Amino acid sequence: MRVAVRPPEFLPRLDYFALMCHVDMFVVADTFQYSRQSYQNRTKLRTPDGWQWQSIPLEGRQHGRAINETRISHGPTEWKRKLWRSLEFNYRSTPFFAHYVDDLKSALNFEALILGAYTSATIRCIHELLQITTPLKQASEFAGKARSVSEVLDRLENPQLVVLEDTAQRDAAALGRVEVHLFDPPAYRQNFSGFEPGMSSVDALFNLGPQATREMLVRAIR
């Protein structure tokens, strides 16, 4: 069984779902340690001037906690209003925004105080909108706390780890046979002039629709 193991990200980038399309099971590793300056609580949206970060604010002193124990700030929820205004301003004129905006808004309005639960909801929403058939598994569903890739694989029967070259896990070399691929996506039509790579996958979804996005993801894995 070919397996990918990745921590949850907030409205993940295209490489996340490309890898998902390429395996038999995708494990959302919400039991891994939260990493600052990662994509675990932030994402990039396309704007007329290039791109901008959209972040989920977290409580202080989160270092060392697992993602499924990291708490979202209890303070003002202005970040959700800011996120939604940005999505509407930058994407409402795209060809597929009206088709999928309600589903995405429902996921973004999901009430959760834990980072892993909230970001996993956005992953599952996009997984469904892109009509990806690969089953998703939360690492927190396994017995015990799987804190590393090797510990996740120990809980599966005859797994073959699949990684992307630029996101290969640090302990992958110790796991024996690992299948490494390159993610090489083409530039696609965005809502503003030019092309900015590394955007949230909703950028392609709103501009291209689910079928064209999914087909692009499948071809982008080498």
Side-chain angles (χ1 to χ4, degrees), residues 5-7 29 32 146-154 161 163 167-178 180:
V5 182
R6 292 280 294 270
F32 287 15
R147 300 286 192 173
S148 67
V149 176
S150 58
E151 290 179 1
V152 169
L153 297 181
D154 285 344
L161 180 64
V163 300
T167 56
Q169 288 87 352
R170 285 177 294 180
D171 57 347
L175 299 174
R177 193 163 58 96
V178 178
V180 181

Side-chain angles (χ1 to χ4, degrees), residues 34-42 53 58:
Y34 166 68
S35 176
R36 291 181 294 180
Q37 303 301 315
S38 70
Y39 285 85
Q40 291 170 15
N41 70 312
R42 61 180 183 170
W53 287 113
L58 305 176

Side-chain angles (χ1 to χ4, degrees), residues 118-164:
Y118 186 81
T119 53
S120 293
T122 70
I123 292 167
R124 291 183 179 276
C125 175
I126 299 172
H127 171 270
E128 182 175 343
L129 293 180
L130 292 178
Q131 301 171 6
I132 296 173
T133 59
T134 303
L136 303 181
K137 183 81 170 178
Q138 300 287 133
S140 54
E141 296 174 8
F142 296 134
K145 293 185 178 181
R147 300 286 192 173
S148 67
V149 176
S150 58
E151 290 179 1
V152 169
L153 297 181
D154 285 344
R155 289 158 170 79
L156 299 173
E157 184 176 351
N158 193 29
Q160 167 65 61
L161 180 64
V162 181
V163 300
L164 296 181

